[in-house]
Amino acid sequence: MTSGTPGTPGNPDGADAVEAAAAAGGTETVRAADATAAGGAAEGGVKRGPRQRLTTDTARPEGGGRAAPGDAPAPARQWPLLTVLVLAGLGLLVVGTDPFPQSFRVGAILVGAALLTGAAIRRALPSVGMLAVRSRFTDMITYGVMGGLIVLLALMVQPGPWLRIPFLEDVLHLTVT
């Protein structure tokens, strides 16, 4: 049984009546004992309008289904997320080991590229597994903006930036002096 099934501990009392009432047309008949306990009349069945359901679970984000068939092993089903994580891990490894000059810049660019790759995968594929966190649009914007900012900052970091943006230098001089 799942948490949305009537009769499970996660559902409020009377969930069976709500299910039956929804199937029968959206109203529910309250027994006399229930009506008296709720402050209503003790006569026969009292009709009330549709009862609101309590949310007991959250919906999976759009595109959050498996990226491979269900009989495939877990890594194959989650290859989009693993691609992003491996690329980001590679960038962190390059920064951490510092194997060559400017490795901090190359590693940061790899981390930003991992997020940009996540945005591209989220846009291109209908089902991306656990890479889907929010709606498709929100995920694409979040991954894209964060990845773009990380790459931009990695290109502009001192000493010896690979990218110079003149108006930003002017803004910095106005704020520091």
Side-chain angles (χ1 to χ4, degrees):
M1 286 168 72
T2 62
S3 64
T5 306
T8 59
N11 283 338
D13 292 332
D16 294 330
V18 174
E19 294 286 334
T27 60
E28 112 185 60
T29 303
V30 181
R31 293 188 310 263
D34 293 339
T36 305
E43 294 95 1
V46 177
K47 287 279 198 176
R48 288 195 294 192
R51 187 170 171 188
Q52 287 186 334
R53 295 181 186 208
L54 297 176
T55 303
T56 59
D57 204 0
T58 57
R60 179 182 289 180
E62 60 182 276
R66 295 182 174 129
D71 58 347
R77 290 193 311 260
Q78 297 299 332
W79 71 265
L81 178 65
L82 291 175
T83 301
V84 172
L85 289 177
V86 165
L87 195 55
L90 182 64
L92 292 175
L93 183 70
V94 168
V95 170
T97 58
D98 199 22
F100 52 87
Q102 303 288 324
S103 61
F104 67 94
R105 189 184 315 268
V106 172
I109 289 172
L110 282 172
V111 170
L115 288 171
L116 291 173
T117 301
I121 290 173
R122 190 72 171 102
R123 172 69 176 114
L125 298 179
S127 188
V128 292
M130 288 174 50
L131 188 62
V133 178
R134 296 157 295 264
S135 70
R136 185 178 310 276
F137 177 77
T138 305
D139 280 345
M140 287 180 350
I141 296 299
T142 304
Y143 295 150
V145 167
M146 293 303 293
L149 285 175
I150 290 172
V151 169
L152 184 66
L153 290 174
L155 292 173
M156 294 174 53
V157 73
Q158 297 290 336
W162 292 355
L163 175 67
R164 293 186 186 273
I165 301 177
F167 75 88
L168 288 179
E169 291 177 9
D170 294 339
V171 169
L172 181 64
H173 288 293
L174 288 175
T175 59
V176 173
T177 56

